[in-house]
Amino acid sequence: NATTDIASGFAKSEQGAQSAAANYAVALGSADMYNRDRRHELVPQIFTDAAADRLQTRLDKAYSAASLERIGLDANGKAADGMTYVSRTAPLGTKVGKFSGTSATVAVWCTGVFGTAGEGSKNPVTNDWFTLTLKLRWVNNDWKAESYSQKAGPAPVNSDRTASTADEIAKAVEQYGG
């Protein structure tokens, strides 16, 4: 399920910066980032021109055919027949670190589901908790990222809920839009 264009036109305020950062976290954690063409469309929507140019090369290396193969995807970021690759991020909250009228540092606390759903998957869908910190700049009447970093947690205690089957996860990905 390809994401549509990322929201834009955020307010020139702390709340606007937080909204931009949360939307960018969702896009950066999406399965679209594993497809070169789609990634090359998304990155310029998220980052300043200078940052996008620098990042495309780094991301192309990070999402190389060899690294995609290690997680069970082909060179286009697609799972094998009968498998569904899942990568979805949900922001739980945002916190402004530094803010001026034209720059902001925003931490986005996120959870997500990542992995390949399907019988015999060597990379089953698991959940993760992480904080994505984005440095934003006000450019052309909108917030754009100059850089981002990710760290683990904070993570809650895992519940004792029984994991869904690979089939249930794959169906949920098809039935619930990203």
Side-chain angles (χ1 to χ4, degrees), residues 20-153:
N23 276 277
Y24 297 160
V26 170
L28 289 167
S30 73
D32 286 343
M33 291 297 289
Y34 294 81
N35 175 277
R36 186 182 190 278
D37 293 342
R38 192 63 187 123
R39 185 172 60 251
H40 279 252
E41 292 171 14
L42 290 175
V43 167
Q45 293 179 57
I46 299 170
F47 294 92
T48 63
D49 291 344
D53 290 344
R54 278 193 320 267
L55 255 172
Q56 289 291 21
T57 308
R58 279 189 27 219
L59 290 171
D60 286 349
K61 285 180 184 158
Y63 293 104
S64 68
S67 65
L68 293 175
E69 187 179 323
R70 277 194 295 279
I71 59 171
L73 303 177
D74 69 15
N76 294 315
K78 291 265 186 256
D81 285 348
M83 301 279 190
T84 303
Y85 188 72
V86 182
S87 182
R88 292 196 184 171
T89 296
L92 297 174
T94 57
K95 179 175 76 174
V96 175
K98 295 179 187 161
F99 182 82
S100 77
T102 57
S103 68
T105 301
V106 181
V108 185
W109 182 35
C110 301
T111 188
V113 288
F114 309 91
T116 305
E119 284 308 313
S121 171
K122 290 174 180 48
N123 182 32
V125 178
T126 60
N127 70 321
D128 193 14
W129 294 85
F130 56 96
T131 301
L132 200 62
T133 300
L134 296 102
K135 289 190 175 163
L136 303 175
R137 170 119 359 246
W138 186 256
V139 182
N140 297 329
N141 292 315
D142 210 352
W143 291 108
K144 295 292 178 186
E146 290 185 304
S147 65
Y148 74 102
S149 60
Q150 183 174 318
K151 67 176 187 174

Side-chain angles (χ1 to χ4, degrees), residues 158-169:
N158 275 329
S159 71
D160 58 0
R161 181 166 290 121
T162 304
S164 298
T165 66
D167 193 43
E168 288 173 316
I169 295 286

